[in-house]
Amino acid sequence: ARHTLLQLEQPSATPRALPFSARASPSPGTRAEGQRSRGSTRLFELEERVACTILDERHAVGGLDHIWLIPEWLRAGEADGLWECINSQERWETLRHRRLQNWGGKPVAGGMVPEPLPDWLECLIDALVGAEVFDQAHRPNHVLINEYKDGNGIMAHQDGPVYEPMVAILSLGSRTDFQFLEPNQRQVALELSVPPSSLLVFCGAAYDHMLHGIPTEPKPGEHRISLTFRRVPEIVP
C-alpha cells in the first residue's frame, strides 16, 4: 500500500478541529488551598492537514531501509495540549526507570483482550490513518505511552510477533537518541537524534530483524514522553 502522511497547512481562520476532552488541573489560584480539584474540560485541536506522500526519500533515514523520521509532525500548541492531556490521566504505572500508560488492552502471547481507546488517542490515530501512515485495515489498536526523565532510556529489544510489523512513535518534550542495533553483535548500526514533536516510523527489516532502544545517559532535567502506535492483529475474546 502507498504510505502518505499529512503535513500541516498554514493556519486558517476556521481550521478543522479534531477535539478530545481531558481532565486537567486548574491554574494556581483558581481554587482555595487544599480544595480537591475535580478537573476541567480542555479542547485539543489538530490543525487542518492535507495528504501528501511521506514515506519517501524526503524523510527516509540513510543507513537502513524502511525507517522514516518526520520532524515537526505536531505544532507547538498541539504538542503542549497533548502533553497536558497525557499527564492528566490517572493511569501511570511506575517501573524502575520510567513510567508508562497502556491503552487498548494488555498484549499477551496469544493476542490481546481489547479495551476501547479514549477519544484523544482515536483522534491521533485518525490523523495517522488519514495520512496513510497506517491504512484502515491495519489501524492501530494499541498505544503505549512511556515517560523518561533525567536521561533514562530503555534497553535494546524487539517488539515481538504479537504486533504487526509496523510502528509509529510520536515524541514530546526533550530530544533523544534512538538506536538500531544488530541482534547478534549488538553493535549500533544506526543512531538517530529524534527531536520533539517528530514522528518516527519503521517497518520491514528494521522492525523484524534489528533491535531498537534508547541509551541511558545522565541528563538532569531532561523529560520526554513517547507514544508508540501499533496494531495487535489477534484479538482474544
Side-chain angles (χ1 to χ4, degrees):
R2 181 176 60 90
H3 296 286
T4 61
L5 180 70
L6 302 174
Q7 288 196 341
L8 297 170
E9 293 183 333
Q10 295 298 318
S12 61
T14 56
R16 178 175 59 88
L18 299 175
F20 63 78
S21 297
R23 299 188 64 184
S25 299
S27 301
T30 59
R31 64 183 188 274
E33 183 71 19
Q35 181 180 352
R36 180 180 179 132
S37 169
R38 302 183 66 180
S40 60
T41 298
R42 300 292 179 89
L43 184 68
F44 174 82
E45 294 183 349
L46 293 177
E47 294 287 346
E48 183 76 25
R49 285 160 155 83
V50 293
C52 65
T53 301
I54 131 167
L55 301 191
D56 58 13
E57 293 182 356
R58 292 177 304 150
H59 299 121
V61 173
L64 289 175
D65 293 335
H66 304 112
I67 304 173
W68 299 266
L69 180 62
I70 302 91
E72 298 181 350
W73 193 74
L74 291 180
R75 289 187 183 273
E78 294 173 336
D80 291 345
L82 181 56
W83 181 282
E84 183 176 358
C85 179
I86 290 169
N87 280 294
S88 70
Q89 308 301 314
E90 298 178 358
R91 199 182 176 98
W92 287 112
E93 300 176 32
T94 301
L95 305 181
R96 185 177 178 184
H97 296 299
R98 59 191 168 96
R99 294 196 303 170
L100 63 83
Q101 295 181 22
N102 184 84
W103 295 94
K106 290 284 188 181
V108 294
M112 182 175 72
V113 179
E115 298 174 356
L117 289 166
D119 289 346
W120 56 276
L121 285 175
E122 290 286 8
C123 168
L124 291 166
I125 292 171
D126 284 344
L128 292 171
V129 172
E132 297 182 31
V133 174
F134 298 91
D135 60 40
Q136 186 62 40
H138 301 275
R139 179 185 179 90
N141 58 3
H142 183 262
V143 184
L144 191 65
I145 300 176
N146 282 292
E147 179 190 52
Y148 303 92
K149 288 186 175 182
D150 301 325
N152 282 317
I154 186 169
M155 66 181 296
H157 63 281
Q158 289 181 318
D159 290 350
V162 69
Y163 300 102
E164 291 186 348
M166 179 86 173
V167 60
I169 302 173
L170 180 59
S171 291
L172 305 174
S174 299
R175 180 182 293 268
T176 195
D177 294 325
F178 194 98
Q179 296 179 339
F180 291 89
L181 301 91
E182 294 287 350
N184 295 327
Q185 298 85 1
R186 289 187 173 260
Q187 294 179 342
V188 176
L190 178 68
E191 182 170 286
L192 302 175
S193 180
V194 177
S197 301
S198 65
L199 187 69
L200 174 64
V201 180
F202 58 95
C203 61
Y207 183 97
D208 291 324
H209 176 70
M210 306 297 292
L211 305 176
H212 59 270
I214 299 171
T216 295
E217 300 177 2
K219 297 177 182 178
E222 185 182 75
H223 192 185
R224 174 177 175 263
I225 289 176
S226 67
L227 297 87
T228 301
F229 298 85
R230 291 170 293 201
R231 178 173 180 82
V232 180
E234 298 297 329
I235 299 302
V236 179

mmCIF file of all heavy atoms in Angstrom, residues 24-50:
data_model
loop_
_atom_site.group_PDB
_atom_site.id
_atom_site.type_symbol
_atom_site.label_atom_id
_atom_site.label_comp_id
_atom_site.label_asym_id
_atom_site.label_seq_id
_atom_site.Cartn_x
_atom_site.Cartn_y
_atom_site.Cartn_z
ATOM 1 N N ALA A 24 -7.923 18.264 33.383
ATOM 2 C CA ALA A 24 -6.686 18.975 33.671
ATOM 3 C C ALA A 24 -6.886 19.852 34.891
ATOM 4 O O ALA A 24 -7.969 20.390 35.114
ATOM 5 C CB ALA A 24 -6.273 19.840 32.475
ATOM 6 N N SER A 25 -5.827 20.003 35.684
ATOM 7 C CA SER A 25 -5.939 20.803 36.895
ATOM 8 C C SER A 25 -6.085 22.274 36.550
ATOM 9 O O SER A 25 -5.461 22.768 35.610
ATOM 10 C CB SER A 25 -4.698 20.616 37.762
ATOM 11 O OG SER A 25 -4.575 19.277 38.148
ATOM 12 N N PRO A 26 -6.886 23.021 37.308
ATOM 13 C CA PRO A 26 -6.991 24.455 37.085
ATOM 14 C C PRO A 26 -5.674 25.140 37.359
ATOM 15 O O PRO A 26 -4.783 24.598 38.019
ATOM 16 C CB PRO A 26 -8.068 24.888 38.085
ATOM 17 C CG PRO A 26 -8.747 23.643 38.518
ATOM 18 C CD PRO A 26 -7.761 22.542 38.377
ATOM 19 N N SER A 27 -5.535 26.358 36.862
ATOM 20 C CA SER A 27 -4.329 27.125 37.118
ATOM 21 C C SER A 27 -4.229 27.475 38.589
ATOM 22 O O SER A 27 -5.231 27.567 39.290
ATOM 23 C CB SER A 27 -4.350 28.419 36.292
ATOM 24 O OG SER A 27 -4.438 28.120 34.923
ATOM 25 N N PRO A 28 -2.988 27.690 39.098
ATOM 26 C CA PRO A 28 -2.830 28.054 40.501
ATOM 27 C C PRO A 28 -3.643 29.295 40.844
ATOM 28 O O PRO A 28 -3.726 30.235 40.062
ATOM 29 C CB PRO A 28 -1.321 28.325 40.617
ATOM 30 C CG PRO A 28 -0.709 27.536 39.511
ATOM 31 C CD PRO A 28 -1.710 27.546 38.405
ATOM 32 N N GLY A 29 -4.249 29.285 42.006
ATOM 33 C CA GLY A 29 -5.011 30.431 42.454
ATOM 34 C C GLY A 29 -6.472 30.385 42.107
ATOM 35 O O GLY A 29 -7.238 31.247 42.517
ATOM 36 N N THR A 30 -6.893 29.366 41.327
ATOM 37 C CA THR A 30 -8.289 29.305 40.935
ATOM 38 C C THR A 30 -9.133 28.533 41.929
ATOM 39 O O THR A 30 -10.330 28.434 41.767
ATOM 40 C CB THR A 30 -8.427 28.646 39.549
ATOM 41 O OG1 THR A 30 -7.881 27.328 39.609
ATOM 42 C CG2 THR A 30 -7.698 29.464 38.492
ATOM 43 N N ARG A 31 -8.494 27.928 42.941
ATOM 44 C CA ARG A 31 -9.259 27.242 43.963
ATOM 45 C C ARG A 31 -8.590 27.466 45.313
ATOM 46 O O ARG A 31 -7.397 27.771 45.382
ATOM 47 C CB ARG A 31 -9.352 25.736 43.666
ATOM 48 C CG ARG A 31 -8.021 24.993 43.682
ATOM 49 C CD ARG A 31 -8.242 23.542 43.311
ATOM 50 N NE ARG A 31 -7.047 22.741 43.479
ATOM 51 C CZ ARG A 31 -6.122 22.611 42.560
ATOM 52 N NH1 ARG A 31 -6.256 23.236 41.412
ATOM 53 N NH2 ARG A 31 -5.058 21.858 42.789
ATOM 54 N N ALA A 32 -9.329 27.301 46.359
ATOM 55 C CA ALA A 32 -8.789 27.525 47.687
ATOM 56 C C ALA A 32 -7.738 26.479 48.007
ATOM 57 O O ALA A 32 -7.751 25.368 47.491
ATOM 58 C CB ALA A 32 -9.913 27.462 48.725
ATOM 59 N N GLU A 33 -6.769 26.870 48.877
ATOM 60 C CA GLU A 33 -5.703 25.954 49.265
ATOM 61 C C GLU A 33 -6.290 24.690 49.888
ATOM 62 O O GLU A 33 -7.138 24.740 50.770
ATOM 63 C CB GLU A 33 -4.783 26.652 50.284
ATOM 64 C CG GLU A 33 -3.592 25.816 50.705
ATOM 65 C CD GLU A 33 -2.577 25.664 49.610
ATOM 66 O OE1 GLU A 33 -2.622 26.477 48.684
ATOM 67 O OE2 GLU A 33 -1.754 24.741 49.680
ATOM 68 N N GLY A 34 -5.837 23.520 49.396
ATOM 69 C CA GLY A 34 -6.288 22.258 49.958
ATOM 70 C C GLY A 34 -7.579 21.745 49.363
ATOM 71 O O GLY A 34 -7.981 20.625 49.630
ATOM 72 N N GLN A 35 -8.255 22.545 48.558
ATOM 73 C CA GLN A 35 -9.501 22.073 47.943
ATOM 74 C C GLN A 35 -9.177 21.079 46.841
ATOM 75 O O GLN A 35 -8.294 21.301 46.017
ATOM 76 C CB GLN A 35 -10.269 23.264 47.352
ATOM 77 C CG GLN A 35 -11.599 22.861 46.719
ATOM 78 C CD GLN A 35 -12.326 24.069 46.150
ATOM 79 O OE1 GLN A 35 -11.898 25.197 46.365
ATOM 80 N NE2 GLN A 35 -13.397 23.825 45.442
ATOM 81 N N ARG A 36 -9.866 19.980 46.796
ATOM 82 C CA ARG A 36 -9.610 18.941 45.815
ATOM 83 C C ARG A 36 -10.051 19.391 44.429
ATOM 84 O O ARG A 36 -11.153 19.890 44.257
ATOM 85 C CB ARG A 36 -10.350 17.661 46.217
ATOM 86 C CG ARG A 36 -10.139 16.510 45.232
ATOM 87 C CD ARG A 36 -10.884 15.287 45.679
ATOM 88 N NE ARG A 36 -10.681 14.230 44.721
ATOM 89 C CZ ARG A 36 -10.343 12.992 45.026
ATOM 90 N NH1 ARG A 36 -10.143 12.665 46.273
ATOM 91 N NH2 ARG A 36 -10.203 12.078 44.095
ATOM 92 N N SER A 37 -9.173 19.211 43.448
ATOM 93 C CA SER A 37 -9.515 19.572 42.076
ATOM 94 C C SER A 37 -10.354 18.460 41.448
ATOM 95 O O SER A 37 -10.010 17.299 41.524
ATOM 96 C CB SER A 37 -8.224 19.783 41.263
ATOM 97 O OG SER A 37 -8.533 19.884 39.902
ATOM 98 N N ARG A 38 -11.436 18.844 40.829
ATOM 99 C CA ARG A 38 -12.273 17.873 40.123
ATOM 100 C C ARG A 38 -11.990 17.894 38.627
ATOM 101 O O ARG A 38 -12.626 17.181 37.863
ATOM 102 C CB ARG A 38 -13.751 18.172 40.398
ATOM 103 C CG ARG A 38 -14.085 18.144 41.881
ATOM 104 C CD ARG A 38 -15.544 18.364 42.127
ATOM 105 N NE ARG A 38 -16.344 17.270 41.599
ATOM 106 C CZ ARG A 38 -17.672 17.227 41.692
ATOM 107 N NH1 ARG A 38 -18.328 18.212 42.293
ATOM 108 N NH2 ARG A 38 -18.333 16.208 41.199
ATOM 109 N N GLY A 39 -11.039 18.760 38.234
ATOM 110 C CA GLY A 39 -10.659 18.777 36.819
ATOM 111 C C GLY A 39 -11.561 19.681 36.005
ATOM 112 O O GLY A 39 -12.593 20.155 36.453
ATOM 113 N N SER A 40 -11.128 19.968 34.803
ATOM 114 C CA SER A 40 -11.894 20.786 33.887
ATOM 115 C C SER A 40 -11.720 20.217 32.496
ATOM 116 O O SER A 40 -10.825 19.423 32.234
ATOM 117 C CB SER A 40 -11.409 22.242 33.919
ATOM 118 O OG SER A 40 -10.042 22.316 33.553
ATOM 119 N N THR A 41 -12.575 20.614 31.576
ATOM 120 C CA THR A 41 -12.534 20.095 30.220
ATOM 121 C C THR A 41 -11.681 21.003 29.350
ATOM 122 O O THR A 41 -11.875 22.208 29.322
ATOM 123 C CB THR A 41 -13.957 19.996 29.643
ATOM 124 O OG1 THR A 41 -14.702 19.076 30.439
ATOM 125 C CG2 THR A 41 -13.910 19.491 28.213
ATOM 126 N N ARG A 42 -10.726 20.429 28.674
ATOM 127 C CA ARG A 42 -9.869 21.157 27.753
ATOM 128 C C ARG A 42 -10.073 20.606 26.353
ATOM 129 O O ARG A 42 -10.393 19.434 26.182
ATOM 130 C CB ARG A 42 -8.400 21.032 28.154
ATOM 131 C CG ARG A 42 -8.076 21.582 29.541
ATOM 132 C CD ARG A 42 -8.210 23.081 29.588
ATOM 133 N NE ARG A 42 -7.917 23.601 30.906
ATOM 134 C CZ ARG A 42 -6.708 23.948 31.323
ATOM 135 N NH1 ARG A 42 -5.673 23.801 30.536
ATOM 136 N NH2 ARG A 42 -6.540 24.439 32.539
ATOM 137 N N LEU A 43 -9.839 21.438 25.342
ATOM 138 C CA LEU A 43 -10.021 21.035 23.959
ATOM 139 C C LEU A 43 -8.670 20.946 23.282
ATOM 140 O O LEU A 43 -7.890 21.895 23.305
ATOM 141 C CB LEU A 43 -10.914 22.034 23.225
ATOM 142 C CG LEU A 43 -11.267 21.692 21.776
ATOM 143 C CD1 LEU A 43 -12.163 20.468 21.737
ATOM 144 C CD2 LEU A 43 -11.955 22.877 21.110
ATOM 145 N N PHE A 44 -8.368 19.807 22.716
ATOM 146 C CA PHE A 44 -7.149 19.623 21.938
ATOM 147 C C PHE A 44 -7.525 19.686 20.469
ATOM 148 O O PHE A 44 -8.494 19.044 20.058
ATOM 149 C CB PHE A 44 -6.533 18.275 22.275
ATOM 150 C CG PHE A 44 -5.349 17.912 21.432
ATOM 151 C CD1 PHE A 44 -4.092 18.400 21.731
ATOM 152 C CD2 PHE A 44 -5.493 17.081 20.341
ATOM 153 C CE1 PHE A 44 -2.993 18.056 20.948
ATOM 154 C CE2 PHE A 44 -4.409 16.732 19.557
ATOM 155 C CZ PHE A 44 -3.158 17.231 19.880
ATOM 156 N N GLU A 45 -6.780 20.432 19.680
ATOM 157 C CA GLU A 45 -7.106 20.584 18.273
ATOM 158 C C GLU A 45 -5.910 20.243 17.395
ATOM 159 O O GLU A 45 -4.780 20.612 17.706
ATOM 160 C CB GLU A 45 -7.563 22.012 17.970
ATOM 161 C CG GLU A 45 -8.885 22.401 18.628
ATOM 162 C CD GLU A 45 -9.329 23.796 18.244
ATOM 163 O OE1 GLU A 45 -8.505 24.519 17.641
ATOM 164 O OE2 GLU A 45 -10.474 24.142 18.534
ATOM 165 N N LEU A 46 -6.167 19.517 16.339
ATOM 166 C CA LEU A 46 -5.190 19.328 15.285
ATOM 167 C C LEU A 46 -5.555 20.265 14.138
ATOM 168 O O LEU A 46 -6.714 20.333 13.726
ATOM 169 C CB LEU A 46 -5.206 17.879 14.776
ATOM 170 C CG LEU A 46 -4.724 16.807 15.758
ATOM 171 C CD1 LEU A 46 -4.865 15.442 15.118
ATOM 172 C CD2 LEU A 46 -3.299 17.058 16.170
ATOM 173 N N GLU A 47 -4.561 21.006 13.652
ATOM 174 C CA GLU A 47 -4.818 21.901 12.533
ATOM 175 C C GLU A 47 -5.203 21.106 11.283
ATOM 176 O O GLU A 47 -4.929 19.910 11.178
ATOM 177 C CB GLU A 47 -3.574 22.750 12.250
ATOM 178 C CG GLU A 47 -3.206 23.720 13.357
ATOM 179 C CD GLU A 47 -4.140 24.907 13.445
ATOM 180 O OE1 GLU A 47 -4.909 25.119 12.482
ATOM 181 O OE2 GLU A 47 -4.107 25.625 14.456
ATOM 182 N N GLU A 48 -5.827 21.805 10.350
ATOM 183 C CA GLU A 48 -6.187 21.191 9.068
ATOM 184 C C GLU A 48 -4.940 20.593 8.420
ATOM 185 O O GLU A 48 -3.867 21.186 8.425
ATOM 186 C CB GLU A 48 -6.798 22.237 8.140
ATOM 187 C CG GLU A 48 -7.278 21.695 6.808
ATOM 188 C CD GLU A 48 -8.575 20.935 6.944
ATOM 189 O OE1 GLU A 48 -9.336 21.196 7.880
ATOM 190 O OE2 GLU A 48 -8.820 20.070 6.095
ATOM 191 N N ARG A 49 -5.052 19.389 7.895
ATOM 192 C CA ARG A 49 -3.936 18.713 7.269
ATOM 193 C C ARG A 49 -4.321 18.276 5.860
ATOM 194 O O ARG A 49 -5.476 17.975 5.593
ATOM 195 C CB ARG A 49 -3.526 17.494 8.102
ATOM 196 C CG ARG A 49 -2.756 17.835 9.386
ATOM 197 C CD ARG A 49 -2.822 16.666 10.340
ATOM 198 N NE ARG A 49 -1.710 16.627 11.264
ATOM 199 C CZ ARG A 49 -1.656 17.325 12.393
ATOM 200 N NH1 ARG A 49 -2.651 18.130 12.718
ATOM 201 N NH2 ARG A 49 -0.599 17.231 13.185
ATOM 202 N N VAL A 50 -3.333 18.231 4.982
ATOM 203 C CA VAL A 50 -3.560 17.731 3.629
ATOM 204 C C VAL A 50 -2.632 16.544 3.401
ATOM 205 O O VAL A 50 -1.515 16.507 3.906
ATOM 206 C CB VAL A 50 -3.305 18.815 2.563
ATOM 207 C CG1 VAL A 50 -4.351 19.907 2.683
ATOM 208 C CG2 VAL A 50 -1.909 19.405 2.696
#
